[in-house]
Amino acid sequence: MQSSAISISPSLPHLKPVQNPCFQHRRLLPLNSLSIRPSISSATTAARRLTVVSSSSEDSSFNLSRKSSRFDGLVSLPSLKFSGKRSLKDDVVVKATSVPESADADEGPKAMSKTLELGILFGMWYLFNIYFNIYNKQVLKAFHYPMTVTLIQFAVGSVLVIFMWMFNLYKKPNISAGQLAAIVPLAMVHTMGNLFTNMSLGKVAVSFTHTIKAMEPFFSVLLSAAFLGEKPTPWVVLSLLPIVGGVALASVTEASFNWAGFWSAMASNVTNQSRNVLSKKVMVKKEESMDNITLFSIITVMSFILLAPVAIFTEGVKFTPTYIEAAGINVQQLYTRSLLAALCFHAYQQVSYMILQRVSPVTHSVGNCVKRVVVITSSVLFFKTPVSPINALGTGVALAGVFLYSRLKRIKPKPKAA
């Protein structure tokens, strides 16, 4: 039996009924009632989409050939069979495409896994920071040698870094002479920043030190404008006002206030932000880039080398059991808490850089602001620091300003039309 391909076009001839008594009382079934079952085999479960495409030559597995019936000869119907070769331009081919469900199904668990991993990292960042500040404050309160305490923290960090390099947990860096010369200034300001922080923690409450350190954005804007030529937007400048005002209000009402602790925290802000400016100004010119964790590891080792002779010359060798016992300090407790503080110090900075590799700098800045709130709150509760309502208000205003700054920092100024 001769068959022809389906041709759907406006020029279809009208079918005229034949005068046949048997045919008058019967109705033809519409085409859409025919059972069309594509033979598509798939190894995996797939969601099928039917798309209509216009083509001149398409192979199809649809077989809609009509079986003979008693109406043959009464009406000339074309055979519903798709041939492999087509020449008509108006042919319509129904094509079944399969979209793997595994692609969409895998995205959900992967996104959830990444979110969970990021949440764990943020939790570890905050937890290590809380314990570092608590243990460090306990050590500095009993052992009044901040330079020696800072040296111990760099020493423990250097041992950890070298251990990871030896067992290939971290990739061993290949440093050129030019890179080494660029890293030395960074290591110097990094050493001074941590030293000034410990000096402040030894003099005033943990909450007050971190309230003063909330002024880091102020010095960041100031130093970036002076040395990098980065002009802040008016909104960023306005966001600095609550930071400065809040810190001033908290300082006036701080019960543990003294000028040595205040200026040490301020000096920590300047040196830490100077490190960021130097890293942008110097390291950006180097062809060989270096990831943040590797750079931090190198700076940790170099900071220990730089600080060791200065600490010994300035404070002497005071961390011996004989001297500690003579000072009436429990040797075991001091050694244990110093070790824990050093481990937490290195761990929270490592986790901070791991988070920075996964999120944008703005998100990291917001997380750092939340971290400061958590550290201040936990230290007040642990050490039972007396806080007046005005002092709490000043701290809150300063931290709100830091949050506002981190949000407005992402707004880039519109380029001027030429």
Side-chain angles (χ1 to χ4, degrees):
M1 179 179 64
Q2 184 178 359
S3 63
S4 61
I6 293 178
S7 178
I8 302 176
S9 66
S11 59
L12 278 177
H14 295 285
L15 300 178
K16 297 182 178 180
V18 182
Q19 300 296 330
N20 190 315
C22 298
F23 183 75
Q24 291 177 357
H25 300 287
R26 296 183 180 270
R27 307 172 78 181
L28 288 176
L29 294 175
L31 291 180
N32 56 11
S33 67
L34 297 177
S35 176
I36 302 174
R37 300 185 62 185
S39 59
I40 298 177
S41 60
S42 177
T44 59
T45 304
R48 288 167 172 79
R49 299 183 305 181
L50 292 180
T51 58
V52 180
V53 295
S54 179
S55 173
S56 59
S57 63
E58 279 285 336
D59 294 334
S60 175
S61 59
F62 283 62
N63 189 355
L64 306 181
S65 58
R66 182 173 53 85
K67 294 182 180 180
S68 61
S69 67
R70 58 180 179 174
F71 297 108
D72 290 346
L74 300 178
V75 180
S76 179
L77 290 176
S79 174
L80 304 180
K81 182 177 180 180
F82 290 5
S83 61
K85 297 180 181 179
R86 315 284 254 178
S87 59
L88 298 177
K89 295 182 180 179
D90 295 331
D91 286 353
V92 177
V93 179
V94 180
K95 187 177 180 181
T97 60
S98 57
V99 180
E101 290 179 349
S102 58
D104 294 335
D106 291 343
E107 287 181 1
K110 285 182 180 179
M112 187 179 296
S113 176
K114 288 181 180 179
T115 304
L116 181 62
E117 179 185 357
L118 194 60
I120 293 173
L121 288 176
F122 270 100
M124 292 172 61
W125 187 23
Y126 296 166
L127 192 64
F128 285 137
N129 220 292
I130 290 171
Y131 278 107
F132 163 71
N133 283 278
I134 290 175
Y135 287 131
N136 201 33
K137 178 62 178 179
Q138 290 176 336
V139 170
L140 290 167
K141 193 174 181 179
F143 188 75
H144 305 289
Y145 296 96
M147 198 170 289
T148 301
V149 172
T150 307
L151 180 63
I152 293 169
Q153 292 168 2
F154 285 138
V156 173
S158 299
V159 171
L160 290 175
V161 168
I162 294 172
F163 175 82
M164 292 178 180
W165 284 345
M166 289 177 60
F167 290 93
N168 293 324
L169 299 177
Y170 283 167
K171 184 180 179 180
K172 296 179 182 179
N174 296 321
I175 310 173
S176 62
Q179 286 179 324
L180 186 63
I183 294 174
V184 170
L186 298 177
M188 291 177 64
V189 293
H190 178 76
T191 304
M192 294 171 64
N194 287 280
L195 175 60
F196 285 133
T197 299
N198 284 338
M199 290 173 65
S200 178
L201 288 172
K203 297 292 184 180
V204 296
V206 175
S207 57
F208 184 54
T209 297
H210 282 274
T211 300
I212 300 172
K213 286 176 70 65
M215 283 193 66
E216 284 182 350
F218 173 82
F219 292 101
S220 175
V221 171
L222 189 65
L223 294 173
S224 296
F227 296 100
L228 300 179
E230 297 180 357
K231 294 182 180 180
T233 63
W235 294 110
V236 170
V237 175
L238 289 175
S239 70
L240 299 177
L241 296 179
I243 298 176
V244 176
V247 170
L249 186 61
S251 301
V252 171
T253 57
E254 175 60 36
S256 65
F257 178 86
N258 67 68
W259 287 108
F262 176 83
W263 288 117
S264 297
M266 283 293 184
S268 173
N269 288 335
V270 174
T271 50
N272 285 333
Q273 296 309 308
S274 298
R275 177 191 60 195
N276 296 338
V277 171
L278 281 173
S279 63
K280 290 181 181 178
K281 190 175 181 64
V282 179
M283 296 302 293
V284 75
K285 297 180 181 179
K286 304 300 174 183
E287 295 181 357
E288 299 179 0
S289 60
M290 188 179 299
D291 63 275
N292 290 326
I293 294 180
T294 302
L295 181 61
F296 169 71
S297 301
I298 296 171
I299 287 176
T300 299
V301 177
M302 293 182 68
S303 296
F304 170 74
I305 296 172
L306 291 171
L307 186 60
V310 179
I312 295 173
F313 178 78
T314 305
E315 295 180 348
V317 183
K318 306 292 186 183
F319 207 65
T320 60
T322 305
Y323 182 86
I324 294 171
E325 287 180 354
I329 305 172
N330 189 308
V331 177
Q332 184 178 359
Q333 287 185 0
L334 184 65
Y335 280 4
T336 302
R337 291 175 183 178
S338 297
L339 177 62
L340 290 173
L343 290 173
C344 291
F345 168 76
H346 188 79
Y348 92 75
Q349 297 204 52
Q350 287 280 358
V351 174
S352 175
Y353 285 119
M354 291 172 65
I355 293 173
L356 189 59
Q357 289 180 339
R358 289 167 171 79
V359 300
S360 66
V362 174
T363 303
H364 188 273
S365 179
V366 173
N368 190 53
C369 178
V370 176
K371 179 208 72 176
R372 206 172 294 285
V373 174
V374 172
V375 170
I376 291 175
T377 305
S378 61
S379 65
V380 167
L381 296 175
F382 183 85
F383 293 109
K384 298 179 180 179
T385 307
V387 179
S388 65
I390 298 178
N391 183 271
L393 177 63
T395 302
V397 169
L399 294 175
V402 174
F403 179 79
L404 183 63
Y405 166 84
S406 63
R407 303 300 297 174
L408 294 175
K409 185 70 175 175
R410 66 190 301 178
I411 301 177
K412 302 295 182 183
K414 295 182 180 180
K416 296 181 180 180

